[in-house]
């Protein structure tokens, strides 16, 4: 579910945007408005998770996310006009907000405490697997149509939603089990500071990776390859649980920021394809380990309300992701892209 919703549906719009602009004659302003709207959909999903979990249990929002992903991507794949395309893209973008955090509550209920960090890392690393799939679809799309990418994600979302319903238990709302305990925001302070720094760095990379690839002279199909390499590099996050046991959440978080910084530096200095593609692999490792450790970290400091704590962190990250492009965009014209990276 996380792989399809977060690794594929959330990033497919940017990957296929040039072809959609050509077919529907979308202006830059309209394209940017739709991109912003997909983030609004993501935020709505995040904010809706605690409400739905409180009423229906943690499986409910993952089911909603699966439906949003399948229906939204199908609408884009079959879109006859820009209005249907925009609606489908926003619906698909909301799927990522619904599906990720609730699995923290699911694992708290069904998994042995010793195995939870590893399982949280495995769930989160689904994003990396999804990015590999998105990159593969993106590489095939020019041979057929950009619609193939969206149709493939719609099928994957339907399959994931069906498996989710069959395999994830219908648990009662956590509040009934936990006596309505409140979050301790003081415990979340350091993870939230990490969240802001992490999402600034990740957002900057994804915002400017295509521009850096173009400046380095890569071909039009390079963005799809970059996404696939990010996903492949991110598979190292399967071992985030072991890393956390050795270094602690703060240590792994600091290391992941260092790796992401290295990837940003490589992208900023990129003068050819090897450095751009190499930075994608490095970014994948820091990106996925960084997100995996955030899920583990929030569950560690709030063991009774892991899903709610993770949702708070993701909302902070989403707001950071909205603000960051405006700030960096004002710096690039004067300082240059390489310096900003």
């Amino acid at each position: 579910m996380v792989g399809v919703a977060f690794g594929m549906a959330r990033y497919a719009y940017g990957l296929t945007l040039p072809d959609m602009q050509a077919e529907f004659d979308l202006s830059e302003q309209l394209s940017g408005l739709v991109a912003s709207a997909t983030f609004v959909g993501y935020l709505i999903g995040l904010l809706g998770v605690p409400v739905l979990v409180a009423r229906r249990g943690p499986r409910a929002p993952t089911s909603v996310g699966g439906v949003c992903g399948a229906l939204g991507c199908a609408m884009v794949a079959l879109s006859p006009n820009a209005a249907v395309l925009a609606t489908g893209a926003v619906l698909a973008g909301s799927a990522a907000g619904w599906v990720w955090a609730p699995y923290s509550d699911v694992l708290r209920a069904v998994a042995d405490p010793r195995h939870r960090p590893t399982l949280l890392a495995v769930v989160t690393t689904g994003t990396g697997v999804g990015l590999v799939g998105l990159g593969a679809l993106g590489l095939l799309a020019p041979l057929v149509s950009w619609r193939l990418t969206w149709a493939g994600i719609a099928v994957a979302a339907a399959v994931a939603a069906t498996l989710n319903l069959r395999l994830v238990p219908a648990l009662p709302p956590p509040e009934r089990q936990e006596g309505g305990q409140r979050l301790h925001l003081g415990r979340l302070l350091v993870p939230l500071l990490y969240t802001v720094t992490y999402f600034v760095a990740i957002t900057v990379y994804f915002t400017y990776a295509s521009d850096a690839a173009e400046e380095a002279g890569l071909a039009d199909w390079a963005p799809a390859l970059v996404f696939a390499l990010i996903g492949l590099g991110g598979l190292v996050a399967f071992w985030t649980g072991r890393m956390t046991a050795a270094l602690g959440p703060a240590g792994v978080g600091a290391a992941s920021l260092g790796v992401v910084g290295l990837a940003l530096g490589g992208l900023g200095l990129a003068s050819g394809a090897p450095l751009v593609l190499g930075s994608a692999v490095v970014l994948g490792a820091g990106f996925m380990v960084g997100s995996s450790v955030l899920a583990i970290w929030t569950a560690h400091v709030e063991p009774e309300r892991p899903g709610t704590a993770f949702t708070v962190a993701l909302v902070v990250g989403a707001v950071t992701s909205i603000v960051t492009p405006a700030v960096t965009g004002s710096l690039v014209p004067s300082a240059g892209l390489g310096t900003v990276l």
Side-chain angles (χ1 to χ4, degrees):
M1 288 293 291
V2 172
V4 172
F6 210 97
M8 302 178 80
R10 189 181 181 207
Y11 294 111
Y13 180 79
L15 182 63
T16 58
L17 182 58
D19 291 328
M20 294 190 296
Q21 285 177 318
E23 182 166 332
F24 290 104
D25 194 26
L26 302 176
S27 66
E28 291 294 338
Q29 291 82 359
L30 181 57
S31 299
L33 185 62
V34 175
S36 297
T38 63
F39 250 113
V40 173
Y42 172 60
L43 263 177
I44 290 172
L46 283 175
L47 295 173
V49 165
V51 177
L52 195 54
V53 168
R55 295 186 177 187
R56 305 288 296 179
R59 190 181 71 175
T62 64
S63 300
V64 171
V67 171
C68 289
L71 181 60
C73 291
M75 288 177 66
V76 175
L78 300 173
S79 55
N81 53 53
V84 175
L85 184 149
T87 303
V90 173
L91 193 59
S94 73
W98 289 107
V99 307
W100 194 1
Y103 286 111
S104 293
D105 287 327
V106 172
L107 291 175
R108 176 186 178 275
V110 304
D112 187 296
R114 296 173 298 170
H115 302 310
R116 286 176 198 164
T118 297
L119 292 172
L120 284 169
V122 169
V123 169
T124 302
T125 307
T127 300
V129 178
L131 286 172
V132 174
L134 177 62
L137 288 171
L139 289 171
L140 289 173
L143 303 176
V144 185
S145 168
W146 60 268
R147 296 177 185 270
L148 172 67
T149 300
W150 288 94
I153 301 171
V155 172
V159 171
T162 301
L163 290 173
N164 186 68
L165 279 175
R166 292 181 63 88
L167 300 178
V168 176
L171 300 167
E175 283 74 10
R176 297 177 188 172
Q177 302 168 332
E178 298 161 5
Q181 297 172 356
R182 296 180 179 276
L183 290 177
H184 300 84
L185 293 180
R187 299 178 186 172
L188 283 172
L189 178 60
V190 176
L192 291 180
L193 290 173
Y194 162 81
T195 299
V196 171
T197 309
Y198 169 80
F199 273 90
V200 165
I202 293 299
T203 302
V204 168
Y205 190 97
F206 277 105
T207 300
Y208 294 109
S210 295
D211 290 341
E214 183 178 337
E215 288 187 10
L218 271 70
D220 293 340
W221 47 261
L225 180 58
V226 167
F227 274 95
L229 290 175
I230 290 172
L232 286 172
L235 297 183
V236 70
F238 279 123
W239 290 274
T240 306
R242 295 184 182 181
M243 299 178 200
T244 306
L247 301 176
V252 176
S256 70
L257 290 179
V259 173
V260 172
L262 184 64
L264 283 167
L267 195 65
L269 297 171
S271 57
L275 204 50
V276 171
L277 300 180
S279 78
V281 177
V282 174
L283 185 280
F287 171 44
M288 289 312 310
V289 172
S291 59
S292 296
V293 79
L294 183 58
I296 295 169
W297 202 346
T298 50
H300 177 73
V301 299
E302 283 289 347
E304 300 301 318
R305 301 288 298 279
T308 304
F310 193 25
T311 298
V312 170
L314 292 179
V315 169
V316 169
V319 173
T320 302
S321 297
I322 293 172
V323 174
T324 297
V327 175
T328 55
S330 66
L331 297 174
V332 168
S334 58
L337 178 57
T339 301
V340 169
L341 291 170

